[in-house]
Amino acid sequence: MDRSKLYRRFRTLLIANRGEIACRVIRTARAMGLRTVAVYSEADRDAMHVALADEAVLLGPARARDSYLNVERLLEAARKTGAEAVHPGYGFLSENAEFAQACLEAGLVFVGPTAEMMTAMGSKSGSKALMEKAGVPLVPGYHGEAQDDATLANAANKIGFPILVKASAGGGGRGMRIVRSTDELAPAIVSAKREAKAAFGDDRMLIEKYVDNPRHIEVQIIGDSHGNLLSLFERECTLQRRHQKVIEEAPSPTLNAAQRETVCAAARKAAGAVNYVGAGTIEFVSDGKDVFFIEMNTRLQVEHPVTELITGIDLVEWQLRVAFGEALPLRQDEIKLNGHAVEARVYAENPTRNFMPSVGRISTWRLPAETGGLRIDAGYREGDTVSPYYDAMLAKMIAWAPTRDIAIDRLNRGLLDSDVRGIVTNIPFLSALITHPKVRANAIDTGFIERELADLTQSAPAPGELELCAAVAAIVDDERKAAQTDASSPWQTFGWMPVGRRQRSFAFRVGHGPEQKITLNYGSGPSTLAIGERELAFTVVPKEGGFDLTLDGVKSSVAAVIDGHELYLRTRNGRFDLHWVDPFGGESEEHVGEDKIAAPLPGTVVAVLAEEGAKLEKGAPILTLEVMKMEQTLRAPFAGVLKSIRCKVGDIVQEGVELAVVEPSGE
Ligand code: ADP
Ligand code: ADP
Ligand code: MG
């Protein structure tokens, strides 16, 4: 194939993606003077990537297969807008060879490798066969064509447990199960196949030896259509949950210079085996000594910013220039590693509820400024809605510094300075994770998060004097602000300086904890706050996002968000979620019967795991829902009897719908 047909200059780029990566690509394309076209689904009409692009085309209904995965609609959007090229981002169609081919046939430049290269490297089985031939070290395993139960079982027994069953077409950690013994194998294959079929439309499996206490190390490579191929150093992504990366960094703190050169050379060899064009990543697992190839991702990766920050290269710019047909602008020996970068993936999910995705409207979105080595790649803004249809990643926060230790501190500071409300995020979890002593010391493996989960998701400290005073200050300040626009408010007349001495009592609680009382004394003379016997003088100076509170002569900065009776405070002691027990608010305790198993989010019932009448241990699996493409198993909240199952496999259920009832035993 004549490569000038594949790669040539263009001026209008369609971005076949959404969220932060669409915004990220638009930013560089715009800086290069290109016209940008966004595409969107009905759920994304008001999304950030739509607002950022020069033009935008509606693809169809929310479901990915009707919109972002609909090749016909995408090509039609390109035709309608005169787009000459397509950037696929990551996920969705980014590693779909038929899509790359369809773009070519429609006369569009596909920003990425050719369909042939993708076919060769896209399947984990195929690429492993290729790497075996090229002499790249592999994890021992089975990656053959035959898929019958006996072949897979034989292969597993031969390799020796523990093994990993993996979807050949897999991505994002889906369709993957660790199997520790023969009798676990069959059910693991069934469930991995089901997940793979749903996520990728392909349920072929491969089997690998499970490397114990592994680290994940990967190499960024990029090739042009003139036969040049470069490696841009490695990243380490060992902090994972369910085989999905959470924190990534570059360079790897585990490798020395010689090991770095070895792994980069292996990656160049791997990509060289298909004369690779475009940006790609060669992934390896390491047992601490050696590295073994596991897969290649033929696209830009989520964690590409850490590489950008240590090399000073804009990878999207290079992707686009390669797609223009240009030669890579630097030689291998001109690529220099400078400093250290760490990235954290900010998700709409609840770490204390098994990382259940959180959907809804983002009522507050305050992230720190991108200065002092901090970079934020976001796909959402205040007022945006996180829908249940797509990946729940909201943004990435990335910090660069001369050393790893300082990069971690910068990233942590950025996380601490972030306030996102309306949905639950993993921000406090990320902060706890990157500052964990073992992470600082790089004493980790891919199982670290799972093992330390209790420690990493510890509930916040109880609010102290400072927080109670801050809560009162936040309410009064909020009422005062409202009063400036509402002439009937009592604060309009009284403000902070009513005539005579007055008192106002407040009570707060955290979760189901005890009520804590505090009294505000105000009027003529200085205002004070009283907690029990203690009376404290204070001053409040409002500022953007909160106020400075001086208490007992010490000034400290407080970030505050008020949402009805829910108060969110950030003080020097951490984050606090307080409930304001309003004496006039008609407190009504919402009572959710714990014996009812309800759908936490909209989803599809994919398996019913217990029968009506069955005796259940606490934590026994009852049914599996597929929520946002991930399987979530709902379990018995206590020991009891399964009284009824109110759904069947295949049911599409809405959030809050009752799916099963468990009757507690021993009552
Ligand atoms: P990276 O290796 O770049 O970190 P991941 O494997 O975590 O990428 O996947 C990046 C994103 O794309 C995630 O949101 C993931 O859920 C999604 N994803 C990855 N592979 C696929 C695929 N084949 N189909 C659909 N989504 C995918
Ligand atoms: P995906 O396409 O979902 O990214 P990968 O094959 O890259 O799938 O595997 C995802 C993660 O699972 C890796 O980053 C690694 O931590 C872990 N993993 C993969 N293969 C092995 C293995 N053979 N042994 C131990 N861990 C593995
Ligand atoms: Mg991978």
Side-chain angles (χ1 to χ4, degrees), residues 245 283 295 297:
K245 298 154 188 167
E283 297 195 327
E295 67 156 345
N297 289 323

Side-chain angles (χ1 to χ4, degrees), residues 121-379:
M121 299 305 278
S123 114
K124 293 193 210 298
S125 310
S127 66
K128 286 183 76 178
L130 212 84
M131 291 307 105
E132 205 164 20
K133 259 205 258 148
V136 176
L138 298 185
V139 192
Y142 170 80
H143 44 267
E145 284 292 323
Q147 291 287 310
D148 55 286
D149 294 353
T151 304
L152 294 178
N154 269 339
N157 285 317
K158 214 169 106 202
I159 296 159
F161 294 94
I163 56 138
L164 203 54
V165 175
K166 264 191 204 179
S168 189
R174 297 194 197 108
M176 199 182 294
R177 301 284 183 275
I178 298 177
V179 180
R180 302 198 179 272
S181 63
T182 313
D183 50 324
E184 285 177 16
L185 184 65
I189 289 178
V190 169
S191 122
K193 282 198 166 185
R194 187 173 55 220
E195 197 171 291
K197 187 86 195 167
F200 318 114
D202 178 343
D203 65 0
R204 276 171 299 167
M205 293 286 139
L206 61 88
I207 293 179
E208 272 175 13
K209 177 87 196 156
Y210 183 73
V211 175
D212 268 322
N213 308 324
R215 287 174 174 275
H216 175 110
I217 290 171
E218 60 184 35
V219 177
Q220 176 71 53
I221 55 106
I222 187 162
D224 65 22
S225 56
H226 304 272
N228 302 305
L229 180 78
L230 301 172
S231 59
L232 304 181
F233 302 109
E234 81 289 359
R235 299 183 280 258
E236 177 151 354
C237 320
T238 294
L239 290 171
Q240 305 187 344
R241 204 185 68 86
R242 291 188 169 179
H243 312 296
Q244 172 86 286
K245 298 154 188 167
V246 178
I247 302 284
E248 304 103 337
E249 59 186 305
S252 160
T254 312
L255 303 184
N256 61 33
Q259 291 168 314
R260 172 161 303 121
E261 184 39 41
T262 305
V263 68
C264 289
R268 290 193 298 268
K269 195 159 158 189
V274 286
N275 298 313
Y276 192 74
V277 178
T281 300
I282 316 286
E283 297 195 327
F284 301 89
V285 280
S286 170
D287 58 7
K289 253 188 15 262
D290 300 305
V291 295
F292 306 98
F293 171 85
I294 50 171
E295 67 156 345
M296 174 165 190
N297 289 323
T298 56
R299 55 170 164 89
L300 191 68
Q301 248 164 315
V302 173
E303 58 274 23
H304 74 277
V306 292
T307 298
E308 298 188 319
L309 293 184
I310 60 155
T311 57
I313 293 167
D314 180 331
L315 274 165
V316 174
E317 181 195 321
W318 279 29
Q319 279 191 302
L320 294 171
R321 290 173 66 178
V322 165
F324 290 166
E326 286 182 31
L328 289 169
L330 296 180
R331 291 191 317 265
Q332 188 67 58
D333 62 4
E334 291 173 316
I335 296 175
K336 299 277 187 263
L337 194 168
N338 177 28
H340 200 97
V342 189
E343 173 181 284
R345 297 189 185 191
V346 176
Y347 273 84
E349 64 185 13
N350 189 343
T352 61
R353 283 182 62 200
N354 195 26
F355 296 86
M356 183 60 73
S358 170
V359 298
R361 187 175 167 276
I362 301 174
S363 53
T364 303
W365 177 268
R366 289 190 206 141
L367 297 192
E370 292 183 90
T371 54
L374 200 64
R375 165 174 164 180
I376 295 166
D377 285 14

Side-chain angles (χ1 to χ4, degrees), residues 41-47 60-62 385 387 389-390:
S41 71
E42 279 162 13
D44 277 344
R45 280 179 193 281
D46 302 317
T385 296
S387 75
Y389 301 102
Y390 318 107

Side-chain angles (χ1 to χ4, degrees), residues 108 124 129 134 170 184 188 200 205 270 411 436 441 446 476 486 492 548 584 616 645 655:
L108 300 166
K124 293 193 210 298
E184 285 177 16
F200 318 114
M205 293 286 139
L411 179 58
H436 192 289
T446 57
V476 175
D486 172 11
Q492 187 74 1
D548 282 327
F584 310 110
L616 301 173
I645 284 266
E655 183 176 349

